[in-house]
Amino acid sequence: MGVPSRSPEELVAQGDAPVKPEFIRPGCDRVHIVQVQGSQGAGGVDGQQSLSRRQEKKARAKARHSTAALCTRFAQGTCSFKDNCRFNHDVRAFLNSKPPELPGQCPFHAQGSCPFGITCQWASKHSHPDPLTSEYLQQTPVAAAVTGLPVAPPLKTEDKNGVVTAEALAAALDGASAAVIPLLTPVDPTASQVEAVRAPAAATGFPEPSSPAEQDDVDGAAQAFWRGDGTIPMRPVALLPGPSIQSSINTMDKAVQNQLWHRRYDFSTADRVLSSLGLRNSRAGQGQGKQEEEGQEGKRPRTQGPDAGALPGEAVLAKAEPEVELAAAQVLPTAKVEAEAQLCTVPAETAPGPGAELGIPVTEPESVAPAAAPPPQHPYLETPEHKRESSARAVDFRGKLYLAPLTTVGNLPFRRLAKRLGADITCGEMALATNLLQGQASEWALLRRHPDEDCFGVQICGGYPDSMARCAQLIQDQCSVDFVDINFGCPIDAICSKGAGSACILRPARMESIVRSVSSVLQCPLTFKTRKAYNDGQDVAHTFVPGAAVWGASAVTLHGRTREQRYSRPADWPYIQNCAAATQAPLQLIGNGDILGWQDHYRHLEESGGRLATTYIARGALIKPWIFTEIKQRRDWDISAGERLDLLKLYCSFGLEHWGSDARGVESTRRFLLEWLSFQHRYIPVGLLDVLPQRMDWRVPVFVGRSDLETLLASDHAGDWVRISEMLLGPAPPGFTFTPKHKANAYSRRHEAGASSLLKDEEQENG
């Protein structure tokens, strides 16, 4: 006796995704996220123990000292150690272990010369090669003697006008040497996979083969499940080249890093502000001073809760001290002024519109008139009638599309992609104030900004006014940003246990002291993000959010969840609306939670009666970054699998430009691509749904797409994500492992009738 079918409305009411019946595969269990090991993503490896972070670090260090890597300075011709260098200078040994080159052009082709030289994965195709590349790779007899492989000429992927075309690319790939473009190893399908390919149209939605050739193609699934019919590439494909190469800014100066290391950086500006506010500074007269969050054992009281780890005498808020203005304006470094002038003077009409890379018709957003002073003005600055009372410039969030800061996945290449698809405002990943003050290069990398990001902010996190004020001065002195955001909403245990993140919600006085001190140091606007409460049933955000403007905040982002709740229930938008009703200008309130469709965005803005400035788009942008295009065009974009693959190509191009085109940069790009795919696979194509828009908390049945590639992109098996990365970046190295940093059981199937729909994400999302 079959299970009675349910209407789309009944499915939605019960928390199930209303996928059209012809695409559902009943009786199948989804393959849950598992660790993957081995090249070509050979599926899960049960019972194998993954490496710890320390073991992975040792393995990377060992690889850098082996013949598989070449001394970077030697490759650039600048190594002064010569034979005494501890890194490899043996070019022949390096080339013998170097992975095969990838198709297409070097990501730095538009720049003329590649900074990675012979280590680049496109070295033999450089138009202006360095001496090592000319000697070892671009002279066929020498290259053949070194590598033992034939050297193929560069792929001709352009037409007569120099434009990369699908026809030229296909012809180049068909005639390419296997030594340059290795084929992916075919994967033997399981019986269920073969049956899925051969299933009739009534069950899968695929058309029945109408010719013997098509029937042979279906039968060929028994030999290679990933068919070479153009739907799923059988070999790495050429990436989409970027329009131009532009260096990112906000990189750390070595002299500044040395000053931070030796505690010699001048923090007198921050110290004066702390003194004027009546806040004790545990670092006064010590340069950087003690590490607030990682002090030595025996120097920290053993306390419990969010204040655990606080040092004696950490900045304590005095009685109702008024906000003060700095006596003298902070002089910005020359490099920063020039960078800001370059960003602010770029005409808005020269920037590509959303979806321009894919040839999508766009609807331009309404222009915002810049303020009259001070010059140069930014396209997203508030007009004079809405200007803050303080001397700092204010960013106008109203009507703008704001990409939230997102841990790991919200990196610079992803933000560039979001800008291409219509995002107006971007913000860097959360950076810990303590790590920035220690001069950690990995933390400073989170502050980097691309020139495409015309309105950009950085997000910092900390639990004490003295360290946050000093961090604010450091950013003010060394970085080019349009605003600074403080994260008072991070739910991670390691952050809350240090008194930072969501733990500040339990101590509003400390939150106020942090905002007052940071806003007094900064010359750019200050915003902060918080949740409605720390514990369930104890909502407190309405008690301090309306008065945040008095502290010095220009805008507040309110997430409609508690820290204890995490993602177990939908966001409380009625509470956000109540807080918006109590908020008065000039403070701008931004709502956050479960934005996955353009309907969600406009519905929340309309329900607020214009009191909400905009919405904070976080996980929705990871699942479908084209959400910005949908919002601006007010339509559901039934994006094809091929267009989604083009977005992945563009992301990889941006990633290689950011992390490098050598083997190390390729693998960094691969890992961040896999982290993004761990979110993007949750997207359900518009054409497969009976009810729109898709919701975050829907349970999704096992379904097939309208093409093989669409089905592959919907897979929640990490092995399939690795295979997708191999289409774009070539085979993964031997012994490659990947465990998603962000895990979720949002797609677990119900085993009990009437079970409620729960979304239990463990994502470390700043937004």
Side-chain angles (χ1 to χ4, degrees):
M1 185 175 183
V3 179
S5 60
R6 294 175 291 171
S7 66
E9 292 74 16
E10 292 173 334
L11 290 170
V12 172
Q14 297 175 12
D16 292 319
V19 179
K20 295 179 180 179
E22 59 267 29
F23 297 101
I24 297 178
R25 307 294 294 160
C28 298
D29 288 329
R30 299 187 68 88
V31 182
H32 295 286
I33 296 174
V34 295
Q35 178 177 306
V36 177
Q37 179 170 352
S39 180
Q40 279 79 42
V45 284
D46 298 331
Q48 288 203 3
Q49 185 176 2
S50 61
L51 298 178
S52 65
R53 289 187 178 181
R54 179 174 297 179
Q55 290 172 326
E56 290 180 348
K57 184 177 181 180
K58 288 183 177 180
R60 289 194 297 267
K62 183 178 179 181
R64 285 197 296 270
H65 289 78
S66 68
T67 57
L70 196 66
C71 174
T72 303
R73 292 184 179 272
F74 174 75
Q76 297 172 348
T78 60
C79 183
S80 59
F81 295 99
K82 298 182 179 180
D83 294 339
N84 296 324
C85 182
R86 58 177 178 166
F87 296 102
N88 177 39
H89 284 200
D90 190 342
V91 179
R92 294 178 182 271
F94 166 72
L95 291 177
N96 285 333
S97 58
K98 183 182 178 183
E101 291 194 357
L102 298 174
Q105 294 179 340
C106 173
F108 297 94
H109 175 75
Q111 183 173 282
S113 61
C114 176
F116 294 90
I118 197 172
T119 63
C120 176
Q121 291 298 92
W122 292 265
S124 66
K125 306 164 191 174
H126 288 170
S127 57
H128 298 83
D130 61 287
L132 279 180
T133 304
S134 299
E135 178 182 357
Y136 285 95
L137 284 183
Q138 296 196 345
Q139 295 180 13
T140 304
V142 177
V146 172
T147 64
L149 297 173
V151 177
L155 295 180
K156 182 65 176 177
T157 58
E158 303 88 2
D159 60 10
K160 61 182 180 180
N161 297 321
V163 179
V164 177
T165 63
E167 295 77 8
L169 179 59
L173 291 177
D174 290 339
S177 169
V180 178
I181 308 177
L183 296 178
L184 294 180
T185 303
V187 181
D188 292 333
T190 63
S192 60
Q193 289 172 333
V194 174
E195 181 61 28
V197 175
R198 294 178 174 176
T204 65
F206 294 136
E208 286 283 2
S210 58
S211 67
E214 292 181 357
Q215 182 62 53
D216 292 341
D217 185 51
V218 174
D219 293 338
Q223 284 74 38
F225 178 58
W226 311 123
R227 301 179 297 173
D229 59 0
T231 304
I232 295 183
M234 287 291 291
R235 63 186 75 189
V237 298
L239 303 178
L240 296 177
S244 62
I245 303 298
Q246 296 176 293
S247 299
S248 59
I249 57 177
N250 294 349
T251 55
M252 190 177 197
D253 185 81
K254 191 63 178 178
V256 173
Q257 187 179 40
N258 286 328
Q259 291 176 2
L260 294 173
W261 284 351
H262 296 91
R263 302 181 179 181
R264 295 174 181 170
Y265 193 90
D266 182 12
F267 287 110
S268 58
T269 300
D271 293 345
R272 287 198 305 269
V273 168
L274 291 170
S275 177
S276 63
L277 290 175
L279 301 173
R280 287 203 300 270
N281 183 5
S282 62
R283 294 168 176 76
Q286 305 178 32
Q288 180 184 341
K290 299 178 182 179
Q291 301 175 8
E292 79 173 20
E293 295 180 4
E294 296 187 12
Q296 298 179 358
E297 185 177 358
K299 295 185 179 181
R300 178 183 301 155
R302 296 179 179 272
T303 57
Q304 302 293 330
D307 289 332
L311 292 175
E314 284 287 359
V316 181
L317 182 65
K319 295 182 180 179
E321 292 288 344
E323 183 180 3
V324 299
E325 298 292 339
L326 292 180
Q330 181 71 28
V331 179
L332 301 179
T334 304
K336 179 187 172 184
V337 174
E338 293 176 352
E340 285 186 336
Q342 179 182 3
L343 290 173
C344 294
T345 55
V346 175
E349 58 269 15
T350 62
E357 290 292 330
L358 304 178
I360 305 162
V362 300
T363 302
E364 295 296 334
E366 296 180 0
S367 59
V368 179
Q377 286 298 335
H378 192 282
Y380 299 116
L381 295 182
E382 287 191 347
T383 51
E385 59 268 21
H386 299 292
K387 190 176 180 181
R388 292 176 58 203
E389 296 179 357
S390 66
S391 60
R393 300 181 302 172
V395 175
D396 185 6
F397 292 94
R398 292 166 299 182
K400 308 301 187 303
L401 300 185
Y402 187 178
L403 173 64
L406 300 160
T407 300
T408 306
V409 194
N411 44 61
L412 186 145
F414 182 81
R415 299 197 303 269
R416 289 185 64 187
L417 181 65
K419 286 293 297 182
R420 294 297 179 90
L421 292 169
D424 296 318
I425 301 173
T426 57
C427 188
E429 303 172 64
M430 181 186 74
L432 297 179
T434 303
N435 294 346
L436 293 175
L437 293 174
Q438 292 172 358
Q440 294 185 14
S442 59
E443 207 74 14
W444 274 84
L446 304 178
L447 308 183
R448 292 177 66 177
R449 171 186 189 174
H450 193 271
D452 288 348
E453 300 180 271
D454 49 2
C455 189
F456 172 76
V458 296
Q459 186 180 73
I460 58 177
C461 183
Y464 302 99
D466 49 359
S467 61
M468 291 291 283
R470 288 192 163 200
C471 181
Q473 181 191 335
L474 197 58
I475 294 174
Q476 178 71 41
D477 293 346
Q478 304 300 326
C479 298
S480 172
V481 298
D482 295 295
F483 64 94
V484 173
D485 185 60
I486 301 177
N487 192 343
F488 291 135
C490 180
I492 303 174
D493 294 338
I495 300 297
C496 293
S497 64
K498 305 299 182 182
S502 296
C504 292
I505 301 175
L506 298 175
R507 300 178 67 89
R510 175 175 292 183
M511 184 186 299
E512 178 181 354
S513 66
I514 292 174
V515 174
R516 284 185 180 274
S517 60
V518 173
S519 63
S520 298
V521 170
L522 292 174
Q523 294 180 348
C524 64
L526 174 68
T527 67
F528 69 85
K529 187 254 185 182
T530 187
R531 292 173 179 258
K532 68 173 187 174
Y534 189 89
N535 298 313
D536 290 343
Q538 300 178 7
D539 297 347
V540 295
H542 63 279
T543 63
F544 60 81
V545 166
V550 179
W551 301 352
S554 296
V556 176
T557 299
L558 179 58
H559 191 170
R561 289 186 172 92
T562 66
R563 189 262 179 180
E564 180 182 1
Q565 171 188 350
R566 297 292 181 97
Y567 296 92
S568 59
R569 294 182 301 277
D572 188 354
W573 275 94
Y575 182 82
I576 297 176
Q577 304 294 0
N578 292 336
C579 291
T583 302
Q584 301 294 329
L587 184 68
Q588 302 174 77
L589 187 64
I590 303 169
N592 174 214
D594 300 340
I595 303 294
L596 192 56
W598 66 269
Q599 300 92 331
D600 301 328
H601 172 82
Y602 287 111
R603 183 177 70 254
H604 295 317
L605 293 183
E606 291 171 0
E607 290 175 351
S608 71
R611 294 185 176 89
L612 275 181
T614 187
T615 61
Y616 207 59
I617 303 175
R619 287 179 299 161
L622 299 180
I623 296 173
K624 43 183 278 190
W626 52 92
I627 186 176
F628 301 106
T629 304
E630 292 185 333
I631 293 175
K632 288 194 171 181
Q633 299 181 2
R634 293 179 180 253
R635 68 179 180 96
D636 294 301
W637 182 8
D638 191 6
I639 185 171
S640 68
E643 289 172 318
R644 292 171 64 186
L645 186 62
D646 284 343
L647 293 179
L648 299 179
K649 292 179 184 178
L650 192 58
Y651 173 82
C652 290
S653 295
F654 291 156
L656 294 169
E657 181 183 331
H658 181 61
W659 290 298
S661 60
D662 59 347
R664 188 176 179 183
V666 168
E667 293 313 308
S668 295
T669 303
R670 186 191 307 277
R671 287 194 175 273
F672 285 104
L673 172 65
L674 293 172
E675 292 288 356
W676 179 26
L677 290 174
S678 70
F679 284 93
Q680 194 186 132
H681 80 276
R682 303 183 188 185
Y683 170 69
I684 307 176
V686 170
L688 274 60
L689 288 172
D690 280 323
V691 177
L692 295 174
Q694 178 184 350
R695 283 175 44 183
M696 289 277 191
D697 56 351
W698 278 350
R699 289 182 299 273
V700 183
V702 181
F703 66 89
V704 296
R706 294 161 292 186
S707 66
D708 288 350
L709 183 57
E710 192 169 70
T711 303
L712 179 62
L713 291 172
S715 173
D716 64 351
H717 195 315
D720 291 335
W721 307 338
V722 175
R723 294 186 184 102
I724 294 172
S725 76
E726 290 178 332
M727 298 177 190
L728 307 170
L729 300 170
F736 176 80
T737 61
F738 172 68
T739 303
K741 182 178 180 181
H742 307 286
K743 301 187 180 105
N745 63 350
Y747 291 121
S748 59
R749 297 174 60 84
R750 294 187 305 162
H751 297 287
E752 299 180 5
S756 61
S757 172
L758 298 179
L759 181 62
K760 300 179 180 178
D761 283 354
E762 298 176 2
E763 297 143 357
Q764 300 173 4
E765 171 199 316
N766 296 345

